[in-house]
Amino acid sequence: VQENAFVQLLQSLTANDTAGLLHGIGDDAAVLRGNDQDWVVTTDLIADGSHFLSHEVTPEHIGRKAMAVNLSDIAAMAAKPVAAFVSLLLPSETTNEYAELVMKSIIEIGREFDCPVAGGDTNTWAGKLAINVLILGKTTPRGPLLRSTAQPGDWLLVTGELGGSLTGHHLDFTPRINEALLLNERYELSAGMDLSDGLAMDVRRMCQMSNCGAEILLDELPISRATKQQTSDRGQQVARAIGDGEDFELLLAVAPTEAKRILQDQPLDVPITNVGICVAETGVWQIEDGQRLPLPVTGYEHGTK
Ligand SMILES: [Mg+2]
C-alpha cells in the first residue's frame, strides 16, 4: 500500500458520503457541521518499528509523540482541541508500569493544550506496540484552515526550522496549536497544513488539493541547527530540510500583502520564513541560483509498493 495513492482511492470511494460533512478525506482533519459550531476530527496511529523504536526511546517519549502528531493536525486546521480518545495495542508482555508511563505522558501533553483524554480502548496482542489517538477539536470564528484554498500568487510561509528531526525533534516537538490560532485570528490566511512528511512531499499535497503549483526557494529554507550539525554540505542540508519529514511545523499559503505583514511582524516565538510562492501552473519547482527546475519528489511516504 502506498499512502498518497491509497488516500486518493479513499477520497473517491467516499466522495458521495457527505451528510453533515463539510470536508472529508484529504485534509489534516475532517470538518463536521454542527448547529452553532463546526468540529474537526483527526486520527493518527503510531507503531513500534515505524514511527519509533521502543527499545531506543522511553515510554514517555512514545506517549508524547502519539498525542503530539494528532495535536499537530488540529493545529494544521487552526482549531482548538477539545478531547482525545486513545487506544493502546500493547505487546502481551508489557508491564502495567510501562503502560502507565505511556498514558501519563499522553495525559500530560494533553493538559498542556487543554485536551483531556476522554476515552479509548486497551488491548494486548502478540505483535508490537501501537497507539491510536483521535482528537476532536472545534473551529474558531475565523473557520478552519484548509489545504484546498491556496491561490496562485500566495506566498508560502513556514514556522520554525526544517530538517534533522530524527536526531530528537520528532519525539519532542511542540505542536503549533497556539501559533496556528494566533496567526489565523490576526491574519487572513489562504490555506495551511502541518509538515509531517517533508516540505517537498507536503507542498505537493497542498497544491494537489488547491489545484495549483508552487515554486520553492531553496536558498531561503530555514535549515535547522540539527541539520547543520549533521552535514556542512549545502546540497545535503537542503535535501534534509525538504525531505527528512516530521518537522511538524506549519506550512501556510498567504496573499502577498498579508504575508509581508506577517514576515514584518514576526508575531511568534519561532521565526516565520517565506519559502516559496503558489503558481497557477500545476507542479512543484525549485528555484536555486535563479534556476527553475522540477523539485525532485522526496519526503517520507508511509507504506511500500
Ligand atoms: Mg497533517
Side-chain angles (χ1 to χ4, degrees):
V1 177
Q2 202 194 15
E3 188 182 13
N4 288 342
F6 192 60
V7 169
Q8 278 169 23
L9 170 70
L10 295 180
Q11 276 178 305
S12 68
L13 289 176
T14 57
N16 297 322
D17 307 337
T18 54
L21 206 56
L22 282 179
H23 302 282
I25 294 169
D27 215 309
D28 293 286
V31 185
L32 312 183
R33 173 111 287 174
N35 283 337
D36 42 27
Q37 168 76 61
D38 292 335
W39 302 91
V40 301
V41 181
T42 190
T43 181
D44 231 323
L45 179 149
I46 69 168
D48 187 4
S50 181
H51 304 84
F52 59 87
L53 298 170
S54 62
H55 59 275
E56 286 182 5
V57 298
T58 65
E60 290 90 341
H61 272 134
I62 296 168
R64 191 184 191 284
K65 179 169 184 175
M67 190 75 166
V69 297
N70 282 278
L71 287 166
S72 184
D73 278 328
I74 296 290
M77 307 299 288
K80 282 184 182 157
V82 173
F85 300 81
V86 179
S87 294
L88 301 182
L89 190 49
L90 303 165
S92 40
E93 68 272 15
T94 305
T95 63
N96 284 348
E97 290 75 17
Y98 189 96
E100 187 179 326
L101 290 174
V102 171
M103 280 311 299
K104 275 185 173 165
S105 75
I106 287 177
I107 291 164
E108 189 183 325
I109 185 175
R111 267 189 203 132
E112 281 174 44
F113 292 95
D114 294 325
C115 184
V117 173
D121 195 12
T122 308
N123 276 299
T124 60
W125 73 324
K128 291 180 175 183
L129 172 62
I131 306 176
N132 182 261
V133 175
L134 178 146
I135 297 184
L136 175 71
K138 55 184 178 183
T139 60
T140 67
R142 285 296 281 256
L145 190 59
L146 303 176
R147 288 183 181 186
S148 54
T149 41
Q151 300 287 331
D154 282 348
W155 289 16
L156 291 166
L157 309 183
V158 297
T159 59
E161 299 176 329
L162 305 179
S165 66
L166 271 179
T167 57
H169 178 77
H170 78 113
L171 293 170
D172 62 15
F173 66 91
T174 303
R176 297 298 185 202
I177 297 262
N178 297 328
E179 290 79 2
L181 289 171
L182 182 149
L183 291 172
N184 195 43
E185 192 195 317
R186 258 192 233 173
Y187 304 94
E188 190 80 42
L189 311 176
S190 300
M193 65 184 297
D194 69 324
L195 291 171
S196 55
D197 297 327
L199 179 64
M201 172 81 72
D202 288 330
V203 74
R204 238 171 265 277
R205 290 173 173 154
M206 181 186 276
C207 287
Q208 212 153 34
M209 292 288 288
S210 293
N211 288 315
C212 68
E215 292 175 351
I216 301 299
L217 306 165
L218 295 191
D219 299 327
E220 306 295 328
L221 297 175
I223 291 168
S224 72
R225 193 145 53 112
T227 303
K228 288 176 183 164
Q229 282 166 351
Q230 282 171 324
T231 172
S232 58
D233 180 82
R234 175 73 196 172
Q236 285 296 315
Q237 289 178 356
V238 166
R240 287 184 165 277
I242 65 172
D244 274 359
E246 304 216 290
D247 299 304
F248 297 107
E249 295 293 349
L250 298 169
L251 171 65
L252 305 168
V254 188
T257 44
E258 198 70 343
K260 283 175 200 162
R261 208 157 72 84
I262 294 174
L263 293 167
Q264 182 76 38
D265 293 351
Q266 289 293 332
L268 306 181
D269 294 336
V270 292
I272 303 175
T273 311
N274 175 26
V275 296
I277 188 167
C278 294
V279 295
E281 185 187 356
T282 56
V284 179
W285 289 269
Q286 61 176 61
I287 309 287
E288 194 177 28
D289 301 329
Q291 257 202 318
R292 185 180 190 264
L293 296 166
L295 184 74
V297 182
T298 59
Y300 191 80
E301 185 177 11
H302 289 280
T304 50
K305 281 177 192 157

